Amino acid sequence: MAASSRQRSTIAIIGLGNIGGVAAGCLRAADRQDIIVCVRQPIERLYLERPEGDVEVPLRALTNPADAKPVDWVLLCTKAQQTPSAAPWLARLCNSSTRVAVLQNGISHVERVAPLAGDAVVVPTLVYYNGERLGADRVRLRHVAEHDLVAADDADGRAFAQLLEGTPLRVLLSREFSTLAWRKLLINTVANPITALTLQRQAVFRREDVKALCIAILEEAVAVARADGAQLAEDEAVKTMSTLLTYPPEAGTSMYFDRLAGRALEVEALTGAVVAAGRRLNVATPLNAALLTLLRAVSDAASAG
Ligand SMILES: NC(=O)c1ccc[n+]([C@@H]2O[C@H](COP(=O)([O-])OP(=O)(O)OC[C@H]3O[C@@H](n4cnc5c(N)ncnc54)[C@H](OP(=O)(O)O)[C@@H]3O)[C@@H](O)[C@H]2O)c1
């Protein structure tokens, strides 16, 4: 008993929203590691609805970074724009033996998080599951793809996959991580901005004029992705649009819900990443730059309000 408890590794989950809530509930229910959640509001129990059967788990929560100690793994589950606010947590949780898995959208996980993580290793991941925080102590997991997360097929990615063994979260290890990251960003490059700016759910993509605009936005992003080394199909923009059209018309997007709620938008990690990479790689992105200006104006007004 004492020996096995000594072997349990420690995981700190920063941000108990849609994604962090599901990760915390799944890991706590599997009970293979010691889990703490780093939150702004205290919480003692979490109810997780999941296809494998609902569970209610006790949580050990910290609300003050000063109470945190170094852990084996950090799962960073804030929105990308909230990453700087997690710096005090990362400073206390990380040492040279820590790995920080970043469960955020975008392509620049390492650049975003490494400056805040000291000597820790940053492990980028792509999230495919749908998480929904239904209330203060309730979250729902939906599987929407064959895998729930993707990590690079290297030593750190494999260690991340092992961490989630015994949970319902299935990790795909891929040698094409950066291509998959770009593919996911392509969807987000149209799905999020268009729903947020039009304040319409995904039914808006059934309009022929919106479809044509989306293809043009995607063509720009695909050119940037190729210049960045992504291995994409000839007709990647059209394929991406076809994928988007398989989603239910009544589905929203996280940027749409953030705009409805008057919250800041995850704009720099999505459209901002395309425009920044275009500038770096000398690929013109006028449509994405126009979207970026509008989204920044919306997001800044929300932050100021
Ligand atoms: N939702 C999905 O199904 C989905 C799917 C794929 C990818 N993603 C990506 O996953 C990432 C996380 O998204 P999400 O939907 O989980 O966002 P979210 O629901 O907004 O959750 C973020 C959580 O982080 C917390 N937080 C922010 N700063 C913090 C800090 N300094 N200390 C402690 N907690 C902090 C927030 O707390 P407060 O509530 O106090 O603000 C919130 O609970 C994003 O990059 C998103 O694009 C989401």
Side-chain angles (χ1 to χ4, degrees):
M1 173 81 181
S4 73
S5 66
R6 267 202 305 277
Q7 283 161 11
R8 280 165 76 93
S9 52
T10 47
I11 306 179
I13 297 170
I14 306 177
L16 206 68
N18 302 308
I19 292 307
V22 166
C26 289
L27 285 162
R28 187 65 190 83
D31 197 21
R32 294 176 57 241
Q33 306 96 353
D34 291 332
I35 313 292
I36 59 168
V37 294
C38 303
V39 287
R40 299 201 263 217
Q41 299 297 328
I43 181 167
E44 290 180 356
R45 304 190 72 76
L46 185 70
Y47 195 89
L48 169 66
E49 297 181 17
R50 54 181 194 179
E52 296 76 14
D54 299 355
V55 281
E56 188 180 358
V57 294
L59 288 180
R60 186 171 158 237
L62 299 181
T63 53
N64 184 351
D67 297 330
K69 295 191 171 52
V71 291
D72 298 310
W73 278 90
V74 175
L75 306 191
L76 179 62
C77 301
T78 65
K79 287 263 170 61
Q81 73 273 14
Q82 297 168 321
T83 302
S85 78
W89 285 115
L90 291 166
R92 300 287 300 194
L93 293 166
C94 294
N95 66 17
S96 58
S97 312
T98 307
R99 288 183 173 113
V100 181
V102 184
L103 279 68
Q104 292 177 340
N105 269 328
I107 51 168
S108 308
H109 306 72
V110 177
E111 293 80 344
R112 188 159 56 237
V113 178
L116 309 176
D119 294 333
V121 173
V122 177
V123 184
T125 77
L126 306 173
V127 182
Y128 286 83
Y129 64 86
N130 176 261
E132 189 177 352
R133 180 93 184 246
L134 300 165
D137 60 355
R138 184 173 283 260
V139 71
R140 180 190 295 150
L141 162 65
R142 289 191 192 89
H143 302 287
V144 293
E146 282 175 16
H147 43 266
D148 297 299
L149 292 137
V150 175
D153 191 4
D154 58 21
D156 296 318
R158 286 191 285 274
F160 176 72
Q162 276 171 14
L163 202 67
L164 291 173
E165 278 172 8
T167 78
L169 298 176
R170 303 148 305 177
V171 181
L172 173 73
L173 294 170
S174 173
R175 288 173 193 274
E176 312 291 334
F177 183 85
S178 78
T179 292
L180 294 184
W182 266 108
R183 282 226 166 91
K184 186 144 202 296
L185 181 59
L186 290 177
I187 289 269
N188 284 326
T189 298
V190 281
N192 279 288
I194 299 296
T195 54
L197 289 171
T198 61
L199 275 178
Q200 294 182 49
R201 292 175 185 247
Q202 300 203 22
V204 73
F205 297 115
R206 272 69 179 171
R207 288 178 58 106
E208 289 306 319
D209 52 356
V210 171
K211 249 188 254 180
L213 174 62
C214 287
I215 299 274
I217 293 166
L218 283 166
E219 295 286 9
E220 280 183 14
V222 165
V224 177
R226 284 210 184 94
D228 199 35
Q231 303 294 307
L232 301 175
E234 269 304 299
D235 57 348
E236 190 76 32
V238 173
K239 273 194 171 141
T240 304
M241 201 58 214
S242 305
T243 303
L244 188 55
L245 288 167
T246 63
Y247 300 162
E250 67 279 11
T253 64
S254 68
M255 206 180 267
Y256 167 84
F257 291 119
D258 281 343
R259 182 165 184 208
L260 276 187
R263 292 188 290 255
L265 308 180
E266 200 170 36
V267 50
E268 300 304 331
L270 304 181
T271 301
V274 174
V275 173
R279 199 169 295 133
R280 175 169 52 85
L281 298 161
N282 241 345
V283 179
T285 59
L287 290 172
N288 283 279
L291 290 179
L292 182 58
T293 300
L294 297 173
L295 292 167
R296 279 178 176 161
V298 171
S299 187
D300 289 352
S303 304

